[in-house]
Amino acid sequence: AVALRDVNWEALAIDALALVHLMRGEPMKAIVAGERAIEMYQQGTWEHTVMYVQNVIGLAHLQLQDVDAAIVALKRGLAEAVDSDDIRVEGMTLFNLAHAYRLKPDLRAALDHSARAVQRFARTGGGELAAASALHDALKARAGGIDVAEARALVAVARASLSNPDLHHPRALLIDASRLASAAGQADLLAEAEQLLAQSSRGADPAHLA
């Protein structure tokens, strides 16, 4: 792309690189590549693609546990998705914002964003709808202090989102699910959470994903 002086394809390649860094558990590299991709997109004709990069940058900040920076990036992605009428990206950013507010912690905001994510994904379907629905159930269970229901829902979120790099990595959820299942004496649920936890650690640095 550089040799051909094609700014659009150069931006797309750097965008993809940002996602690879995210999946490898290299959040700082993901942010640097993402910001460069945005610059390149803005020089070309594919500026509408920036919303995907903002989602990646937001997820990278979540890996770094910089929740406030994650919220800023994800809100930018959400605003651009709304402007572009892109329902799937709206759902992605709302889902990831729900995770961010869960970590903040701001349970009311997390519930609001997860409910809106369910509404958006209801129009696109697939595993993303299952992930958003389970996250909303987990947050409702937390609000009600129902530990077993929360643990079960967190495992369901992880199962539905584990292979989707556009959604927040579920390792932290599985750690919470394991703790809740252990405290409640739910051996089968604990085993399932730990199995998914082991699977979630493959190919990434767990220090960044915790």
Side-chain angles (χ1 to χ4, degrees), residues 2-75:
V2 172
L4 293 171
R5 297 183 181 179
D6 190 322
V7 67
N8 288 324
W9 283 103
E10 185 178 352
L12 189 64
I14 299 171
D15 179 350
L17 182 62
L19 188 59
V20 170
H21 284 309
L22 180 72
M23 295 171 68
R24 284 169 56 91
E26 300 167 346
M28 287 304 304
K29 291 182 179 180
I31 291 167
V32 171
E35 290 175 347
R36 178 59 177 156
I38 289 173
E39 292 176 3
M40 299 301 295
Y41 278 133
Q42 290 172 341
Q43 294 173 31
T45 58
W46 293 355
E47 192 171 349
H48 63 281
T49 314
V50 166
M51 57 189 168
Y52 288 93
V53 189
Q54 294 287 8
N55 187 63
V56 170
I57 291 173
L59 290 174
H61 281 298
L62 283 178
Q63 282 192 13
L64 292 168
Q65 300 183 26
D66 188 347
V67 176
D68 290 336
I71 289 172
V72 170
L74 291 168
K75 282 187 172 180

Side-chain angles (χ1 to χ4, degrees), residues 11 29 35 67 73 80 86 123 126 140 148-149 162 173 192 200:
K29 291 182 179 180
E35 290 175 347
V67 176
E80 290 167 12
D86 192 311
R123 297 172 59 182
K140 287 191 295 183
V148 174
L162 183 58
L173 299 187
E192 185 177 3
S200 76

Side-chain angles (χ1 to χ4, degrees), residues 88 91-92 95-96 99 114 117-118 120-136 153-168 170:
R88 178 173 179 266
M92 285 160 38
F95 177 90
N96 294 328
H99 275 285
S114 63
V118 171
R120 301 310 189 275
F121 285 140
R123 297 172 59 182
T124 60
E128 292 169 334
L129 174 58
S133 297
L135 178 60
H136 191 59
L154 290 175
V155 169
V157 180
R159 194 184 306 111
S161 63
L162 183 58
S163 62
N164 189 333
D166 293 318
L167 302 181
H168 177 54

Side-chain angles (χ1 to χ4, degrees), residues 150-190:
E150 182 183 357
R152 201 171 302 280
L154 290 175
V155 169
V157 180
R159 194 184 306 111
S161 63
L162 183 58
S163 62
N164 189 333
D166 293 318
L167 302 181
H168 177 54
H169 195 283
R171 180 176 171 80
L173 299 187
L174 289 167
I175 291 172
D176 284 349
S178 297
R179 174 180 53 79
L180 292 168
S182 178
Q186 297 287 319
D188 290 346
L189 185 58
L190 175 61

Side-chain angles (χ1 to χ4, degrees), residues 91-106:
M92 285 160 38
T93 50
L94 286 165
F95 177 90
N96 294 328
L97 278 164
H99 275 285
Y101 284 115
R102 179 181 181 273
L103 292 170
K104 197 166 176 63
D106 184 339

